[in-house]
């Protein structure tokens, strides 16, 4: 397989190897403290895989949203939302997935973190049909759209306004269930045409939380000396 898809990655010293499902040292410490070792070990043994099985692959193909967790080299965290048509998270093989980075606001918080720290966590939730979730943890790297298409022939096609500039390719190290008991049942509602790739402030949500207005007010206050 091309090194674009599956580059070498060195795990940090002391980290559990994929497939061992031993949990982090912090997990183990708290399991012992709270007496949950047996329950945790059953979960590791029964539910955690170091690859995607056929049911997981089918599930990923139905999902139209994902929550992405990253951290920079200092451990400062970021969580981000990604969405697209069903199957926008593309399964390359049982050990590798890729998701597109469409044109956005230019901050590139998640990509910047991945550049410093390859670890990534992805949470997929089915709010509509099966009310279940899938965690995928692994190591990620960034590949340009044209470069990945040269080695992965069945990537989803680009559409006007929704063009992948880059892909985040993730090597799967852990895949496991997120239980359904607290996942709400949501009913999709029709909505206006989405303006993919737009710079229109209103379409992007504007200053919904008032942050810009608050900063402007503070700046005016400082300038006026009040």
């Amino acid at each position: 397989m091309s090194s674009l898809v599956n580059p070498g990655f060195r795990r940090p010293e002391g980290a559990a190897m994929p497939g061992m499902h031993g949990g982090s040292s912090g997990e183990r410490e708290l399991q012992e403290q709270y007496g949950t070792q047996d329950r945790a070990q059953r979960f590791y043994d029964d539910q955690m895989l170091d690859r995607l099985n056929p049911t997981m692959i089918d599930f990923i193909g139905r999902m139209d949203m994902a929550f992405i967790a990253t951290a920079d080299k200092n451990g400062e965290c970021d969580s981000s939302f990604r969405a697209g048509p069903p199957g926008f998270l593309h399964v390359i093989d049982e050990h590798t997935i890729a998701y597109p980075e469409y044109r956005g606001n230019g901050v590139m918080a998640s990509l910047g973190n991945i550049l410093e720290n390859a670890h990534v966590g992805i949470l997929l939730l089915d709010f509509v049909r099966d009310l279940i979730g899938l965690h995928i943890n692994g190591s990620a790297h960034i590949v340009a759209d044209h470069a990945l298409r040269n080695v992965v022939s069945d990537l989803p096609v680009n559409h006007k306004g929704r063009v992948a500039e880059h892909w985040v390719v993730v090597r799967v190290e852990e895949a496991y269930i997120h239980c359904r008991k607290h996942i709400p049942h949501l009913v999709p509602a029709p909505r206006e045409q989405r303006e993919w790739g737009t710079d229109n402030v209103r379409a992007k949500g504007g200053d919904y939380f008032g942050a810009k207005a608050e900063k402007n007010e503070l700046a005016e206050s400082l300038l006026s000396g009040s």
Side-chain angles (χ1 to χ4, degrees):
M1 181 177 293
S2 167
S3 59
L4 284 174
V5 175
N6 190 23
F9 177 71
R10 180 181 175 187
R11 294 184 61 81
E13 185 176 349
M17 291 298 293
M20 293 177 65
H21 314 318
S24 69
S25 57
E27 286 177 39
R28 290 297 189 179
E29 181 177 341
L30 289 179
Q31 290 161 14
E32 183 175 355
Q33 182 177 338
Y34 295 118
T36 65
Q37 303 99 312
D38 291 344
R39 275 190 291 151
Q41 193 59 52
R42 283 196 299 273
F43 183 82
Y44 295 144
D45 292 342
D46 295 345
Q47 295 296 336
M48 294 188 74
L49 299 177
D50 61 355
R51 68 191 185 286
L52 302 171
N53 67 21
T55 304
M56 292 173 175
I57 291 173
D58 176 74
F59 182 87
I60 294 168
R62 294 193 286 106
M63 294 298 100
D64 60 2
M65 67 178 76
F67 301 91
I68 312 293
T70 59
D72 66 16
K73 63 184 178 183
N74 298 313
E76 298 288 339
C77 298
D78 181 79
S79 61
S80 190
F81 176 74
R82 294 290 183 273
F88 81 105
L89 280 91
H90 183 70
V91 177
I92 296 174
D93 57 44
E94 65 178 357
H95 295 288
T96 319
I97 66 171
Y99 65 85
E101 283 288 341
Y102 302 126
R103 183 175 180 274
N105 61 12
V107 174
M108 299 190 180
S110 297
L111 292 183
N113 284 347
I114 290 169
L115 196 63
E116 297 184 9
N117 177 354
H119 294 291
V120 63
I122 301 173
L123 175 59
L124 306 173
L125 291 172
D126 178 357
F127 295 103
V128 177
R129 195 181 89 175
D130 296 329
L131 305 185
I132 205 73
L134 174 65
H135 290 267
I136 301 172
N137 298 328
S139 56
H141 66 287
I142 305 162
V143 181
D145 179 71
H146 67 87
L148 192 60
R149 290 187 187 278
N150 284 338
V151 295
V152 180
S153 60
D154 60 342
L155 279 182
V157 297
N158 286 319
H159 296 281
K160 183 178 180 181
R162 191 170 63 229
V163 177
E165 296 185 333
H166 301 86
W167 290 80
V168 175
V169 179
V170 180
R171 188 179 71 179
V172 178
E173 297 177 359
E174 295 177 338
Y176 55 91
I177 192 172
H178 185 97
C179 73
R180 63 163 45 99
K181 63 182 178 180
H182 297 303
I183 297 176
H185 185 194
L186 306 181
V187 178
R191 58 169 294 175
E192 69 278 5
Q193 178 68 33
R194 296 171 188 255
E195 299 184 56
W196 297 93
T198 183
D199 284 322
N200 181 282
V201 174
R202 179 179 175 277
K204 294 171 68 174
D207 190 28
Y208 181 90
F209 291 105
K212 182 178 180 180
E214 185 177 310
K215 289 189 173 186
N216 287 343
E217 183 179 343
L218 177 60
E220 290 173 4
S221 175
L222 292 172
L223 287 172
S224 67
S226 59

